[in-house]
Amino acid sequence: MDISNLIQTVSIYALPVLFAITIHEAAHGYVARYFGDDTAWMLGRVTLNPLKHIDPVGTILMPLMLYFATSGAFLFGYAKPVPVHFGNLRNPKRDMIWVALAGPASNFVQAILWAVLLVVLAGSGVERENFFVRMAQGGVLVNLVMWAFNLFPLPPLDGGRVLAGLLPHGNAQNLLARVEPFGFFIVMALVLAGIVSTYWLSPLMAVGYSVIRTVIGPLAALFR
């Protein structure tokens, strides 16, 4: 692996990734506090300080190892999850859905903002290979991946929490709870098998890009 390529990739993606994971986790904590659970707030996790959310293994070591092992073809990582005691929420079954959706929603908003920056840079005549153009492109990509991936309906991902909140009390919800301890390994297996990418990430990201193009269309038209 060319070390110069690694340095270039890290420099382009570092800021978008830090913003993406920091705001994602802080959003979970903020919405949980809004609905009655102060756990994350009291632990100082409702903050834009990335050091509070970075996991040394999941955020730094694992992505670097995978980058070298797969020549950049496959990357995966995670941040320290914000602690939420769902029993403290005013309406746990309903409110857990909003807490879970807060993280992916924050990523989608960030993807739009990076796309806006990309339009402004392009409209200002900045060359396509400019560092900041590539960073903005990376910001859109990183946040759309986080948005789509975290909505996958299997715990411990946010989509699994949403599904648990939507399911009626009974056998289906109990089954989901029993799956959760093994959820990370199941998700990883599905990712490595290409199932998540083919049948979830790619279709959902296509929708995401389409929505973003529609949202920023009027702004892009101003720079033509």
Side-chain angles (χ1 to χ4, degrees):
M1 175 61 63
D2 187 346
I3 196 68
S4 64
N5 285 339
L6 174 62
I7 293 173
Q8 185 180 50
T9 300
V10 170
S11 63
I12 289 171
Y13 283 93
L15 198 59
V17 168
L18 282 178
F19 275 126
I21 64 173
T22 298
I23 297 175
H24 178 107
E25 296 299 335
H28 282 312
Y30 177 81
V31 175
R33 184 170 188 249
Y34 177 83
F35 285 110
D37 178 38
D38 286 334
T39 305
W41 177 266
M42 294 192 323
L43 292 174
R45 295 296 304 281
V46 186
T47 175
L48 296 182
N49 178 2
L51 296 178
K52 293 287 188 177
H53 305 293
I54 289 175
D55 183 280
V57 174
T59 312
I60 301 173
L61 184 60
M62 180 184 288
L64 284 176
M65 289 177 62
L66 287 172
Y67 185 88
F68 280 109
T70 67
S71 298
F74 175 71
L75 289 178
F76 183 82
Y78 56 87
K80 288 191 292 188
V82 165
V84 177
H85 291 164
F86 294 105
N88 293 339
L89 301 173
R90 287 188 289 273
N91 187 327
K93 188 168 172 56
R94 179 201 66 195
D95 297 344
M96 73 184 296
I97 296 174
W98 296 114
V99 174
L101 286 175
S106 75
N107 290 124
F108 198 82
V109 171
Q110 288 180 79
I112 293 174
L113 294 177
W114 281 110
V116 168
L117 176 60
L118 190 58
V119 169
V120 171
L121 289 172
S124 301
V126 177
E127 293 183 5
R128 189 170 297 179
E129 291 302 312
N130 180 277
F131 174 80
F132 293 106
V133 170
R134 297 178 67 186
M135 180 184 287
Q137 291 171 334
V140 175
L141 176 62
V142 164
N143 280 284
L144 279 184
V145 169
M146 284 192 65
W147 164 73
F149 183 73
N150 278 285
L151 286 178
F152 191 73
L154 189 70
L157 296 176
D158 297 325
R161 301 291 184 195
V162 173
L163 181 59
L166 293 174
L167 287 173
H169 289 293
N171 293 335
Q173 198 170 55
N174 291 336
L175 177 62
L176 203 63
R178 288 198 295 270
V179 167
E180 182 165 1
F182 313 101
F184 176 80
F185 302 103
I186 296 172
V187 170
M188 282 299 297
L190 293 174
V191 168
L192 292 173
I195 294 173
V196 171
S197 175
T198 302
Y199 298 104
W200 184 264
L201 277 183
S202 295
L204 207 55
M205 287 182 65
V207 171
Y209 275 116
S210 178
V211 171
I212 290 175
R213 283 194 294 268
T214 301
V215 170
I216 68 171
L219 177 64
L222 291 176
F223 285 95
R224 289 174 187 158

